[in-house]
Amino acid sequence: MKPRLLPILLLALPAAVRGAEFAMPPAPPPAFADTESTANAPLPAAMVARARLVTARVALVATPSNNVSAAFGAAREPGGPLLQGDESLALGWDAGAWFVSSPTGRVEAPPAVPPDGTGERALVLSMRLAASGRPIAFEAREEGSTNALFAALAAAPPDWLFSRSWNAARLDVRGAGPRGAEAASLRLDTDAGLLILR
């Protein structure tokens, strides 16, 4: 007897619905002697509300003294800047160490190889979220490295790593070292939709 072929239908959500990546504008040159400069950008509420996979990236020329961070939180006014102190998550580089912080705490992870002040580096943080927006899986690595960072956060991801109330992001750059390579981005994805009918 001839085996019966079962029809299979695969349905995938369009890429535009599944996710999007948002790149921060570059920070302008510092206007004052404190060397600090900041760039702000809005985040789309609809994508934040649906996100189940989150990837944040911060890149820079790392030196022993500079500080570059990306911060995410709720702006006080729609479309307004994310003011200092209003962020719920910040991540980046500070004087020779990668860090992840919230208003209630901070964890640091010195890189395996000390910076020489000339090489570009990047930190990539990835999370999987429950439908509520609570982080259920976390991973962070220096780009190009296989060593995971921030083991305590990976073991028990705290709620402050993500919030569905985020509507703004900020890039902060401080320090007198080389500039121009600072960049930050946030990618928000829903779970890939796959339906198999037989």
Side-chain angles (χ1 to χ4, degrees):
M1 181 174 162
K2 208 170 177 185
R4 191 170 136 210
L5 297 176
L6 298 175
I8 298 176
L9 177 62
L10 301 179
L11 300 177
L13 296 173
V17 174
R18 283 200 307 257
E21 185 165 350
F22 307 94
M24 295 287 300
F32 302 101
D34 65 3
T35 74
E36 182 172 345
S37 59
T38 297
N40 281 275
L43 295 176
M47 283 302 304
V48 173
R50 293 196 314 266
R52 297 295 293 275
L53 304 170
V54 178
T55 304
R57 180 179 184 271
V58 179
L60 71 152
V61 174
T63 75
S65 62
N66 66 343
N67 175 290
V68 176
S69 65
F72 305 95
R76 297 181 186 186
E77 298 177 8
L82 180 62
L83 300 178
Q84 294 284 344
D86 287 349
E87 64 273 5
S88 61
L89 170 69
L91 63 138
W93 176 269
D94 187 14
W98 294 118
F99 75 91
V100 176
S101 69
S102 78
T104 59
R106 175 180 170 116
V107 292
E108 290 189 355
V113 179
D116 60 9
T118 60
E120 294 186 16
R121 292 173 165 244
L123 174 66
V124 180
L125 177 155
S126 302
M127 289 181 278
R128 178 175 286 278
L129 309 174
S132 65
R134 181 179 58 82
I136 55 177
F138 171 92
E139 181 181 83
R141 297 182 188 276
E142 182 168 336
E143 202 165 67
S145 171
T146 59
N147 296 328
L149 304 172
F150 312 117
L153 298 180
D159 290 349
W160 54 258
L161 285 171
F162 183 81
S163 172
R164 297 229 184 264
S165 68
W166 287 359
N167 62 10
R170 190 183 70 241
L171 174 64
D172 295 315
V173 180
R174 304 173 186 90
R179 287 192 181 225
E182 302 87 11
S185 62
L186 181 71
R187 180 165 185 86
L188 302 169
D189 288 281
T190 61
D191 282 323
L194 182 65
L195 176 63
I196 300 176
L197 303 175
R198 295 185 183 196

